Amino acid sequence: MGVFFDSLLVFILVIILSSATAAKVRHLKWEVEYMHWSPDDQEGVVIAINGQFPGPTIRARAGDTLHLHLTNKLHTEGVVIHWHGIRQIGTPWADGTASISQCAINPGEAFVYRFKVDRAGTYFYHGHYGMQRSAGLYGSLIVDVGEGEKEKFEYDGELSILLSDWWHKGSREQEVDLSSKPMRWIGEPQTLLINGRGQFNCSLAAHFSNSTAAPCKLRGNEQYAPYILKVHPNKTYRLRIASSTALASLNLAIGNHKMRVVEADGNYVKPFTADNIDVYSGDSYSVLFRTDQSPSHNYWLSATVRGREPHTPPALAILNYLPTSPSHLPTSPPPTSPRWDDYPSSKAFSHQILSLPGSPAPPKTPHRRLILLNTQTYINGYTKWSINNISLTLPTTPYLGSIKYNITNAFDAKSPPDRAPPGYNVMRPAPNPNSTYGSGVYVLEFNSTVDVVLQNANALKDNVSEIHPWHLHGHDFWVVGYGEGEFKEGDAAGFNLRDPPYRNTAVIFPYGWTAVRFVADNPGVWAFHCHIEPHLHLGMGVVFAEGVERVRGIPNEAIACGLTGKMLMRNGTR
């Protein structure tokens, strides 16, 4: 009997030790503050983390817990960080959405984000308060497979890029412009950035271009010097790509190299080969490419604008074949991208993204279907974006706390409508373009299957309909269908339930619709919104609540503002 218990004890110790080595708690300490920086050779003000722009790259393994102590040193404004693509299972207060999952962290105060990164994949993080993403508050978050596990594809080395766009006008002034009557549109970005680097007053590829831009004269140590991706010949590389752009939809290509797409938003996809890929704000991908070109040359990696008439030059980085010097600029012109309005090629790319066999399959039927009509509207003369004629305004009390503690007067009690008014012509501007503000919530039955049809329409002006990438917090969803014009109930019969991609961000094309399906199985309150920063600022989003009564352990610091803050003071817990 003693031998049996000794063996059992050894077995238990092995299990404990193996699990301890497999998953770690990774402690990080961040200070968020404004600082001067030159992302594109024009000095401006960025929001930096620990003196870095973009912020530090987080690297962890699936199953690890991040324990991140964040201090707000912005002096005059709050801050939160959203961990884009991390579902926050069991930790909805760590989602980093001001007024939804937590209070903004006040100047001088600190907040601890503690959550598990449960799945391997390519992710990123960014500010989710005001328009702080436009101010540069973002960075990469990469989760490797768990200890002892293997990826479903092989490669020799890894590279990572974070795409963004940059304005010379500060984000606070942009907010005022957008909220003015009449609205002052922020315009196209001055520069596209790759890992925080771009060129404004000069061009790396001036001698290949018809533009008047002067050639760049760089030493290589400037903050805006091109990003260098160093590779060895005859190897297979994994390139991780994420887009934190505030406005721009992008097309990415590597000169003379084909890319094999293998991951989208942290989920494996059926591999397919492409000359270029569309990357919308909120998207992340992994592609494989082979360094099979002449090792005596370097090559361009290029990002160009899609979906909007481009007034911003391409972003360029250099694929540097070692041992060739990175100062030897590529001898070929940057790769040619599709025209900005070549929507057929964009749709063809999106339709190629399908889930890998063995991926989670969607439930066959939904319990509820929401049809969210996206329109540009006016409210008292102010330009807004609205969903089913309601422009989202966020309350001063975070939904998570007010719903959990049944504080009924914290937001609009009436649920927003499940669908648009009947007879709306999505192909024309609305005869009555006026809408209303609202802070209501879609309450979803816990564990129910929900379909959401994102319906695009004409904007205020004739013949204008825009691309909108929508991001869901707290979940991944299956992209089950795309269509042209107005969605009709019969269109659901054509949904792809066989191999739809499993993602957290989906694009709606002009004058079209996109259908997604998800299971409301993550207790919390979650944002679902257009990932274009000024569109969300103007009200393009909705809020889902599910199983909030099941949420346990909300930190007081997350809800110590508004009516929940007053509740905590009355209870003597603050």
Side-chain angles (χ1 to χ4, degrees):
M1 184 66 72
V3 173
F4 170 78
F5 281 114
D6 288 345
S7 300
L8 181 62
L9 182 60
V10 169
F11 175 76
I12 292 172
L13 287 173
V14 167
I15 294 296
I16 292 172
L17 290 173
S18 63
S19 62
T21 56
K24 298 179 180 178
V25 178
R26 299 182 184 268
H27 291 267
L28 301 169
K29 193 170 184 179
W30 282 3
E31 293 184 345
V32 177
E33 59 187 332
Y34 281 110
M35 63 185 295
H36 290 104
W37 203 264
S38 299
D40 63 358
D41 92 349
Q42 301 290 293
E43 186 177 76
V45 173
V46 302
I47 300 182
I49 298 173
N50 293 351
Q52 296 183 46
F53 168 78
T57 295
I58 298 175
R59 192 110 199 189
R61 286 193 177 277
D64 287 353
T65 295
L66 297 184
H67 183 285
L68 193 145
H69 184 280
L70 185 148
T71 301
N72 179 8
K73 299 185 73 175
L74 297 182
H75 299 299
T76 59
E77 61 187 291
V79 71
V80 294
I81 302 287
H82 170 56
W83 316 95
H84 187 105
I86 306 301
R87 294 176 294 178
Q88 300 296 347
I89 297 171
T91 52
W93 54 84
D95 189 47
T97 46
S99 297
I100 298 176
S101 63
Q102 69 169 107
C103 304
I105 307 163
N106 289 324
E109 294 187 347
F111 184 81
V112 174
Y113 287 102
R114 185 181 175 93
F115 57 90
K116 181 178 286 188
V117 288
D118 60 311
R119 291 180 308 163
T122 304
Y123 308 104
F124 63 105
Y125 61 85
H126 59 82
H128 216 293
Y129 182 62
M131 291 180 60
Q132 291 177 343
R133 183 154 46 98
S134 291
L137 183 51
Y138 44 71
S140 294
L141 197 173
I142 296 171
V143 182
D144 294 305
V145 294
E147 196 77 48
E149 298 179 14
K150 291 185 65 176
E151 291 280 14
K152 294 186 182 296
F153 43 83
E154 295 184 352
Y155 51 95
D156 302 305
E158 183 177 309
L159 306 162
S160 178
I161 58 172
L162 183 63
L163 305 172
S164 56
D165 41 14
W166 186 250
W167 283 258
H168 295 161
K169 180 181 287 189
S171 62
R172 303 297 293 275
E173 189 175 351
Q174 290 183 39
E175 290 179 17
V176 175
D177 285 351
L178 292 167
S179 301
S180 296
K181 184 170 67 171
M183 181 187 72
R184 301 183 184 183
W185 177 239
I186 62 172
E188 302 304 306
Q190 276 67 61
T191 316
L192 303 177
L193 307 179
I194 298 175
N195 286 349
R197 296 166 176 256
Q199 296 76 42
F200 174 68
N201 272 337
C202 66
S203 171
L204 296 171
H207 54 297
F208 296 115
S209 170
N210 294 325
S211 76
T212 58
C216 294
K217 297 178 180 179
L218 300 170
R219 297 182 304 275
N221 60 348
E222 296 89 350
Q223 292 173 340
Y224 59 92
Y227 190 77
I228 309 296
L229 299 113
K230 297 181 179 295
V231 295
H232 292 276
N234 300 312
K235 301 288 184 182
T236 297
Y237 284 87
R238 176 184 192 169
L239 176 63
R240 295 182 184 265
I241 305 158
S243 176
S244 64
T245 56
L247 174 65
S249 301
L250 301 175
N251 181 268
L252 184 134
I254 307 173
N256 291 34
H257 295 74
K258 291 186 179 294
M259 296 175 284
R260 191 156 179 81
V261 182
V262 293
E263 176 214 347
D265 294 353
N267 294 289
Y268 295 118
V269 299
K270 288 180 182 176
F272 65 95
T273 301
D275 293 322
N276 55 78
I277 66 171
D278 286 337
V279 187
Y280 302 101
S281 179
D283 281 349
S284 65
Y285 291 100
S286 282
V287 301
L288 303 179
F289 68 93
R290 183 78 181 166
T291 52
D292 54 5
Q293 299 301 301
S294 170
S296 60
H297 293 86
N298 293 323
Y299 302 87
W300 299 113
L301 182 146
S302 173
T304 56
V305 172
R306 297 287 275 136
R308 306 180 69 87
E309 187 170 359
H311 299 281
T312 310
L316 295 173
I318 295 173
L319 186 69
N320 174 212
Y321 270 61
L322 298 173
T324 302
S325 169
S327 64
H328 294 168
L329 293 180
T331 56
S332 300
T336 302
S337 296
R339 268 184 57 90
W340 68 272
D341 56 355
D342 182 359
Y343 294 116
S345 70
S346 292
K347 293 173 184 178
F349 173 74
S350 293
H351 293 165
Q352 285 187 86
I353 303 171
L354 301 169
S355 62
L356 193 69
S359 301
K364 296 301 182 185
T365 56
H367 297 96
R368 183 177 180 184
R369 177 170 294 139
L370 306 175
I371 302 177
L372 303 183
L373 173 66
N374 184 79
T375 54
Q376 193 176 34
T377 59
Y378 291 119
I379 300 179
N380 300 323
Y382 293 92
T383 302
K384 297 293 175 181
W385 285 96
S386 298
I387 303 301
N388 291 352
N389 223 37
I390 296 175
S391 184
L392 179 65
T393 57
L394 296 176
T396 55
T397 304
Y399 290 106
L400 183 64
S402 58
I403 295 175
K404 171 67 177 177
Y405 295 106
N406 198 30
I407 300 175
T408 56
N409 58 339
F411 57 91
D412 293 345
K414 185 179 178 181
S415 175
D418 280 16
R419 56 191 59 219
Y424 190 96
N425 185 353
V426 300
M427 308 302 292
R428 301 287 301 163
N432 178 0
N434 296 304
S435 65
T436 59
Y437 294 114
S439 60
V441 174
Y442 288 100
V443 178
L444 308 177
E445 183 180 347
F446 187 64
N447 270 335
S448 66
T449 298
V450 181
D451 276 4
V452 181
V453 178
L454 298 162
Q455 174 70 66
N456 214 341
N458 201 99
L460 286 168
K461 294 182 180 179
D462 283 317
N463 302 315
V464 175
S465 185
E466 300 183 16
I467 280 178
H468 300 290
W470 274 66
H471 170 60
L472 178 59
H473 294 228
H475 307 77
D476 282 356
F477 50 64
W478 293 273
V479 185
V480 294
Y482 298 95
E484 308 292 332
E486 181 184 0
F487 174 83
K488 297 180 173 55
E489 289 298 332
D491 292 327
F495 284 175
N496 174 18
L497 304 182
R498 184 181 65 260
D499 54 1
Y502 200 40
R503 307 199 59 174
N504 60 58
T505 303
V507 62
I508 327 171
F509 293 107
Y511 299 109
W513 56 265
T514 298
V516 304
R517 179 170 294 181
F518 70 98
V519 179
D521 58 358
N522 191 7
V525 185
W526 310 105
F528 187 34
H529 61 90
C530 179
H531 208 259
I532 292 175
E533 190 92 302
H535 290 180
L536 174 59
H537 181 74
L538 293 173
M540 194 188 298
V542 297
V543 178
F544 295 145
E546 64 204 56
V548 179
E549 70 282 355
R550 298 168 178 261
V551 175
R552 299 288 183 270
I554 302 175
N556 288 346
E557 293 81 5
I559 55 173
C561 61
L563 297 177
T564 45
K566 293 178 181 178
M567 176 197 73
L568 293 174
M569 291 179 68
R570 287 196 303 270
N571 295 342
T573 55
R574 181 185 176 192

